[in-house]
Amino acid sequence: GAVVSQHPSWVICKSGTSVKIECRSLDFQATTMFWYRQFPKQSLMLMATSNEGSKATYEQGVEKDKFLINHASLTLSTLTVTSAHPEDSSFYICSAPQTGISYEQYFGPGTRLTVT
Amino acid sequence: SQQGEEDPQALSIQEGENATMNCSYKTSINNLQWYRQNSGRGLVHLILIRSNEREKHSGRLRVTLDTSKKSSSLLITASRAADTASYFCATATTSGTYKYIFGTGTRLKVLA
């Protein structure tokens, strides 16, 4: 099956700093990628849809200036958490559909962000 | 929120028993997928069922879909301790954006 990678797998940062998380589709092109966040013992909440060559689409309640998304190429999307605070600590997961084949999503392994 | 609901929220069974989890959703869908997540780890895709399918099997897994009731169920037969995990359903809407909405999840614990 298709593979999606994320980097880093975990990161610890100080409050007020910015953190960038990468999501790559390794063996297929993805014009669309999705970013989710997951708090402990909770489900995945869709944050935004990343679109190659255009602006991301954010879900209601997600601050676009706080969570910057850049879909730089057909295989790379980045999520930057700006001026991170402890409440941003979470598990961030990206996914990508293999367009044209099926609607099946391929998920990255996730990035655990801890803000101290 | 568009998030679907799953029940039960938590389920504890003995090894060898069957486990059934249910998922309800709110909008028309293109397909529904079930995922497993071990604690603190990424998602593992289990099975995809399309809106025109009613039942699908994969090994010890059986998934049903009732679009009239907007519900799906996941049955794990002859459960094993290794099946202990959280299980989520995710629905793809018919809008064509591939956007997936996840259910609230069921935490399954299989006791050896």
Side-chain angles (χ1 to χ4, degrees), chain A residues 34-37 44-47 92-93 95 107, chain B residues 100 102:
Chain A
F34 299 97
W35 288 96
Y36 297 84
R37 67 186 298 181
L44 282 76
M45 295 298 294
L46 179 64
M47 298 174 67
Y92 292 87
I93 304 176
S95 72
F107 283 84
Chain B
Y100 272 80
F102 277 80

Side-chain angles (χ1 to χ4, degrees), chain A residues 67-86:
Chain A
F67 299 99
L68 299 179
I69 291 172
N70 182 26
H71 201 129
S73 72
L74 287 171
T75 59
L76 173 65
S77 174
T78 61
L79 169 69
T80 301
V81 183
T82 62
S83 186
H85 289 102

Side-chain angles (χ1 to χ4, degrees), chain B residues 54-73:
Chain B
R54 291 297 166 259
E55 189 171 309
K56 214 161 179 184
H57 297 255
S58 177
R60 294 184 296 114
L61 305 179
R62 173 177 168 253
V63 167
T64 62
L65 178 64
D66 187 335
T67 53
S68 66
K69 294 181 180 178
K70 290 187 168 58
S71 68
S72 175
S73 68

